[in-house]
Amino acid sequence: MSHELVPYPFADPADAAGWAKLDVVGMQAALAMARAAAQAGEVPVGAVVLDARGVVLGQGFNRCITDHDPTGHAEIVALRDAAARMGNYRLPGLALYVTLEPCAMCMGAMMHARLARVVYGADDPKTGACGSVLNLPSLPQLNHHTEVVGGVLAQECAAALQEFFRARRQAAREARRLRCERGTPD
């Protein structure tokens, strides 16, 4: 990726207040990635992988449209970035922050990476795999369990998605209106 990693150094967030502070900073970094996705014409979902000190080890945003890749979700892009930087496909002790509740594909990849934590912003009532539609992390049959925290900066994360789709609907209405004025069928 062409963007530069930005470190977020924190004291050891071993207590709940430390994690809460790190969670907000991590989600703000994920929101910055979501804004980059929107600028690229992608659905504005962003993700970052942080260590317990808050250092960004990987980041990404949705690239499905740009890369013609159904697996180009923000979480997968961020996992690939972190794994390449760490030189390992396992990412134990790390946390992934994402602006939208992960789907089954992404949650499966995060659990296979052995992430310690997954923190998401907005719920996804259509494909969410952390409780909204499915709850993969709660399945006792799986050999790795990842702590999941939802709802961090949920309103900001949801607003980014709502604004993006509102603008898309408006553009589609405007395009239909112009076609009708020209007498061009849909």
Side-chain angles (χ1 to χ4, degrees):
M1 304 189 98
S2 63
H3 47 278
E4 184 178 318
L5 291 176
V6 180
Y8 292 102
F10 274 81
D12 180 23
D15 62 280
W19 278 118
K21 186 176 181 182
L22 185 59
D23 288 351
V24 169
V25 170
M27 194 58 67
Q28 288 170 337
L31 278 163
M33 291 285 95
R35 287 189 289 278
Q39 290 176 340
E42 295 277 354
V43 175
V45 178
V48 295
V49 177
L50 303 181
D51 69 12
R53 294 169 297 131
V55 177
V56 177
L57 300 173
Q59 58 191 0
F61 54 81
N62 273 6
R63 298 188 51 85
C64 297
I65 298 166
T66 303
D67 294 347
H68 310 288
D69 181 2
T71 68
H73 292 197
E75 300 96 311
I76 301 299
V77 175
L79 284 173
R80 288 176 179 157
D81 190 29
R85 288 177 191 281
M86 300 297 292
N88 195 342
Y89 71 105
R90 298 283 195 223
L91 303 171
L94 303 182
L96 185 140
Y97 294 82
V98 61
T99 56
L100 182 65
E101 180 181 0
C103 69
M105 173 186 69
C106 293
M107 196 62 230
M110 289 184 277
M111 290 167 38
H112 281 291
R114 306 296 194 258
L115 288 173
R117 301 179 78 229
V118 172
V119 181
Y120 70 89
D123 290 335
D124 185 349
K126 294 183 179 181
T127 64
C130 296
S132 290
V133 176
L134 302 170
N135 196 348
L136 290 182
S138 72
L139 296 176
Q141 300 90 337
L142 299 175
N143 68 335
H144 178 74
H145 293 90
T146 300
E147 177 189 357
V148 176
V149 176
V152 175
L153 301 182
Q155 290 179 330
E156 293 92 328
C157 295
L161 289 159
Q162 291 164 349
E163 177 54 36
F164 176 81
F165 287 112
R166 184 176 13 258
R168 272 192 149 178
R169 286 189 300 274
Q170 178 59 35
R173 282 192 295 272
E174 183 62 20
R176 278 194 303 277
R177 185 187 67 73
L178 290 172
R179 283 194 303 274
C180 287
E181 284 178 4
R182 289 188 301 247
T184 309
D186 279 336

